[in-house]
Amino acid sequence: MANTPQPLRRTALLASGVALLGLLTACGDESATSSGTPQPSQAARTAGTAPGSATATPGDTAPAVGATPTDTAGSASASARTDGRCHTSELRAAVGRVDPGAGQRNFPVVLTNTSDRTCTVYGYPGAAFVDASGKQLGPDPERAAGSPKAVTLTPGKSAWAGLSFSSPQISGARTATPAALLVTPPDEREPLKVTWTAGEVPVGGNESSVSVTALDAGTGP
């Protein structure tokens, strides 16, 4: 077999080396792409995605451009602050002006939400006349017929119940002059104390009963 000239052998070896180097470079590029490393064109597409629809990749910690951060703690707190009944500590009680009629004396008993959350009242408030020492005068008021309904009170809003009794001058009932009216919100144990300035109330004898209606929205008729 004839010997290959030395110059031709070096040329062939150099060509083989160049071809091998090109093959290794191509393999390296393909490996980088499949491993998830963003190419310049991919990064450009992500940055240019419409606000709110950017696609996150594993390891991303910054929020998508234009997206609104989710505050799960704040949402739970907001939900908790808009549920449940109104507690005594969240309410203020007041007695409105008398509304006389047909031998009756009628007063709106108003509960106002003084808290910073929305709550509800449902049913009848408790009511009791007391003297200066705190002793109750007369029996508990009777509940007037009606259909109780839940009343939602946003901060500053009120609900009212009607407190009624026959005029003592007409009924001839035994009377007393209370120092205060204790008003207990529905399903609560602690009452609210309201100074009573409307004079005598019936506490015994004929036609001595006092009645109270279920709560309704507002501050009175």
Side-chain angles (χ1 to χ4, degrees), residues 1-29:
M1 181 176 180
N3 291 332
T4 302
Q6 195 68 18
L8 291 179
R9 179 178 299 176
R10 285 197 299 270
T11 300
L13 290 175
L14 180 62
S16 299
V18 171
L20 179 60
L21 179 61
L23 180 60
L24 291 175
T25 301
C27 291
D29 290 344

Side-chain angles (χ1 to χ4, degrees), residues 54-122:
T55 302
T57 57
D60 285 346
T61 57
V65 177
T68 301
T70 301
D71 184 3
T72 54
S75 300
S77 176
S79 176
R81 295 175 72 84
T82 56
D83 291 338
R85 73 175 186 268
C86 300
H87 300 295
T88 299
S89 61
E90 299 173 309
L91 299 169
R92 179 181 67 247
V95 177
R97 292 183 178 180
V98 62
D99 179 23
Q104 288 287 113
R105 304 189 72 188
N106 309 298
F107 299 86
V109 177
V110 181
L111 294 175
T112 301
N113 181 4
T114 60
S115 73
D116 60 356
R117 75 176 186 111
T118 297
C119 56
T120 59
V121 290
Y122 175 82

Side-chain angles (χ1 to χ4, degrees), residues 114-144:
T114 60
S115 73
D116 60 356
R117 75 176 186 111
T118 297
C119 56
T120 59
V121 290
Y122 175 82
Y124 297 80
F129 292 111
V130 296
D131 62 16
S133 67
K135 179 181 178 182
Q136 182 169 336
L137 302 173
D140 292 337
E142 299 176 354
R143 292 183 174 185

Side-chain angles (χ1 to χ4, degrees), residues 25-35:
T25 301
C27 291
D29 290 344
E30 182 179 354
S31 175
T33 302
S34 63
S35 66

Side-chain angles (χ1 to χ4, degrees), residues 143-212:
R143 292 183 174 185
S147 299
K149 59 183 178 182
V151 181
T152 300
L153 300 181
T154 56
K157 293 300 182 180
S158 304
W160 72 283
L163 183 73
S164 302
F165 52 85
S166 296
S167 176
Q169 289 77 13
I170 297 176
S171 67
R174 181 167 57 86
T175 66
T177 301
L181 175 68
L182 301 183
V183 181
T184 306
D187 300 316
E188 292 291 299
R189 293 181 179 275
E190 294 298 322
L192 296 163
K193 187 176 182 179
V194 183
T195 300
W196 183 259
T197 60
E200 296 179 326
V201 301
V203 296
N206 295 331
E207 301 295 330
S208 64
S209 63
V210 179
S211 65
V212 64

